[in-house]
Amino acid sequence: MSIDIPDVSGISIGILGGTGDQGKGLARRFALAGHTVLIGSRSAERAQAAAESIGGSVRGSVRGADNPAVAAEADVVIVATPWDGHRATLESLRSELAGKIVIDCVNPLGFDKQGAYMLPVEEGSAAQQAAAVLPDSRVVAAFHHVSAVLLLDPEVEEITLDVLVVGDDREATDTVQALAGRIPGVRGVYAGRLRNAHQVEALTANLISINRRYKAHAGLRITDI
Amino acid sequence: MSIDIPDVSGISIGILGGTGDQGKGLARRFALAGHTVLIGSRSAERAQAAAESIGGSVRGSVRGADNPAVAAEADVVIVATPWDGHRATLESLRSELAGKIVIDCVNPLGFDKQGAYMLPVEEGSAAQQAAAVLPDSRVVAAFHHVSAVLLLDPEVEEITLDVLVVGDDREATDTVQALAGRIPGVRGVYAGRLRNAHQVEALTANLISINRRYKAHAGLRITDI
């Protein structure tokens, strides 16, 4: 089925918590695709160091700054903070993020000797928590299942996987689907409303089990579309 | 990665709630693969009618009986009842199901005008509820995402999808993976412990959203394995 894809090539992308592996990996891939990428962190210095570690080898420009500066400047903002600081970080950035598309890729997971498991979230999911904390933003859940290892691997040119895109605002989910498609091999697939974000986040625990059993960096493909 | 696959070709398969589309679809595919299939229902008559509707065109034998007879006779039992009667049906079959592998494919979903959504389950998931109710059985969660439409379509010879197999007993999950592989095109993939069954069940709501948006019968493939 063909769906009109918005042109997102000129969009600048901010990444809160962009010094972690997932955030840095996404930063690298979007910069490779030519985007201006702003890496955010509580420490502007660490953000700048992360940006410099990526900057040389990509088409787009990569800069680092503290989270508020990134949230204020970027067109679209990805939340890649640890689950631990998720709510507090977003609460502190409510005004900077107002009116923007906010992409939440945080997986609320715990770990023990049997592996990963989902943590209970009062609002239902990290994405719904973001939506509750940011009433003036358009929150979309996506990029939960992309392996940070593959994102950061310079030998990996294509990543074969579908990014499940979950949200209540059609223009916002269309935009995020198009952004997912900027990473070679990746397809953004609309996968329902925000109330169904929880299981997409929690499925990351299953992918971790699959990785352990099959020695892989597992992702998803949706069949028949 | 190669994994030893047990030979399950001689196993007889009982399907509780086998007169519904999902149960009947699985019955048809396992009978096509040469298995003896026992369709169970609260009404033995309706079970027999469902069996007759499949029986002519398959290699294996298909019979219908009431749920207790099927639970007692089959080697492996699939639970495909509506979520509504899930707990009561299993409670009534505890002794028949003792010692057996019980495969739960039930999705606890609600529906409204915005589509499907997950229902809260006290035990965490339908599969965990089954495990709580059936302490002497080996409960495995699997076959949640297989489209009943495709299972029942006589024009469809192969179904391209991975069945996520979730459970705590290695021999049981190995067996269920092998059973999934009896359907042409399908691969059984181990996907974690029973505590991570909930999100596999709930993801069916997202697949329903995908089906609606893309006019498809969506399923999953796991990449990199």
Side-chain angles (χ1 to χ4, degrees):
Chain A
M1 180 184 182
S2 98
I3 286 177
D4 284 341
I5 296 172
D7 178 10
V8 295
S9 56
I11 284 180
S12 68
I13 300 168
I15 305 182
L16 307 178
T19 56
D21 282 346
Q22 187 77 357
K24 204 158 76 172
L26 289 171
R28 179 168 173 274
R29 293 291 165 174
F30 285 121
L32 280 170
H35 288 276
T36 294
V37 177
L38 305 162
I39 291 185
S41 168
R42 279 174 299 177
S43 146
E45 242 172 52
R46 284 199 293 132
Q48 283 154 7
E52 276 162 30
S53 77
I54 295 170
S57 56
V58 294
R59 283 202 295 136
S61 86
V62 190
R63 281 177 292 131
D66 61 19
N67 281 330
V70 166
E73 186 180 339
D75 295 326
V76 166
V77 176
I78 298 176
V79 185
T81 60
W83 169 238
D84 225 10
H86 184 260
R87 182 198 295 273
T89 301
L90 295 181
E91 275 174 350
S92 73
L93 300 172
R94 189 176 293 167
S95 63
E96 289 87 343
L97 295 172
K100 298 195 176 181
I101 294 174
V102 173
I103 307 172
D104 202 305
C105 70
V106 173
N107 297 308
L109 296 181
F111 293 86
D112 61 20
K113 63 182 178 182
Q114 298 195 334
Y117 59 95
M118 58 188 172
L119 296 171
V121 180
E122 192 191 328
E123 294 84 355
S125 61
Q128 286 164 295
Q129 182 180 89
V133 168
L134 305 171
D136 300 323
S137 303
R138 292 184 287 168
V139 173
V140 173
F143 297 110
H144 305 88
H145 305 146
V146 195
S147 157
V149 173
L150 298 183
L151 289 172
L152 289 168
D153 187 340
E155 306 287 308
V156 172
E157 295 193 356
E158 285 210 2
I159 300 179
T160 304
L161 119 140
D162 289 345
V163 164
L164 301 186
V165 176
V166 173
D168 294 340
D169 180 303
R170 176 68 188 256
E171 199 199 0
T173 57
D174 283 356
T175 299
V176 176
Q177 285 180 250
L179 282 173
R182 302 283 292 166
I183 303 174
V186 173
R187 188 171 63 157
V189 174
Y190 172 76
R193 288 175 173 271
L194 218 54
R195 66 177 178 176
N196 284 319
H198 159 71
Q199 54 268 32
V200 176
E201 298 172 1
L203 197 73
T204 306
N206 302 83
L207 292 173
I208 290 169
S209 296
I210 292 170
N211 288 344
R212 187 187 280 200
R213 171 70 61 93
Y214 298 90
K215 317 280 180 234
H217 301 294
L220 297 183
R221 273 286 192 208
I222 302 296
T223 60
D224 198 38
I225 66 167
Chain B
M1 182 183 182
S2 98
I3 288 178
D4 284 342
I5 297 172
D7 179 10
V8 294
S9 56
I11 283 181
S12 68
I13 300 169
I15 304 183
L16 307 178
T19 58
D21 282 346
Q22 188 77 358
K24 204 157 79 171
L26 289 171
R28 180 170 172 274
R29 294 291 163 172
F30 285 120
L32 279 169
H35 288 275
T36 293
V37 177
L38 305 162
I39 291 184
S41 169
R42 279 174 300 177
S43 145
E45 243 171 49
R46 283 197 295 130
Q48 283 153 8
E52 277 162 29
S53 77
I54 295 171
S57 56
V58 293
R59 283 203 293 137
S61 87
V62 190
R63 282 178 291 132
D66 61 18
N67 281 330
V70 166
E73 186 179 338
D75 296 324
V76 166
V77 176
I78 297 176
V79 185
T81 61
W83 168 238
D84 226 10
H86 185 260
R87 181 198 296 273
T89 302
L90 295 182
E91 276 174 349
S92 73
L93 300 172
R94 190 176 293 167
S95 63
E96 289 88 344
L97 294 172
K100 299 196 176 180
I101 294 174
V102 173
I103 306 172
D104 203 304
C105 69
V106 173
N107 297 308
L109 296 181
F111 293 87
D112 61 21
K113 64 181 177 181
Q114 297 195 334
Y117 58 96
M118 58 186 171
L119 296 172
V121 180
E122 193 191 327
E123 295 84 355
S125 62
Q128 286 164 295
Q129 182 181 89
V133 169
L134 304 171
D136 300 324
S137 303
R138 291 184 286 168
V139 173
V140 173
F143 297 109
H144 305 88
H145 305 148
V146 196
S147 157
V149 174
L150 298 183
L151 289 171
L152 288 167
D153 188 338
E155 305 287 308
V156 173
E157 294 192 358
E158 283 210 5
I159 299 178
T160 304
L161 118 141
D162 289 344
V163 164
L164 301 186
V165 176
V166 173
D168 294 338
D169 179 302
R170 176 69 188 252
E171 196 198 4
T173 57
D174 282 355
T175 299
V176 176
Q177 285 181 250
L179 282 173
R182 302 283 291 166
I183 302 173
V186 173
R187 187 171 63 155
V189 174
Y190 172 77
R193 290 175 171 270
L194 218 54
R195 66 177 179 176
N196 284 319
H198 159 70
Q199 54 267 32
V200 176
E201 297 172 2
L203 197 74
T204 306
N206 302 80
L207 292 173
I208 290 168
S209 296
I210 292 170
N211 288 344
R212 189 187 277 199
R213 171 71 62 93
Y214 298 89
K215 317 283 180 232
H217 301 295
L220 297 183
R221 273 284 193 210
I222 302 296
T223 60
D224 197 39
I225 65 167

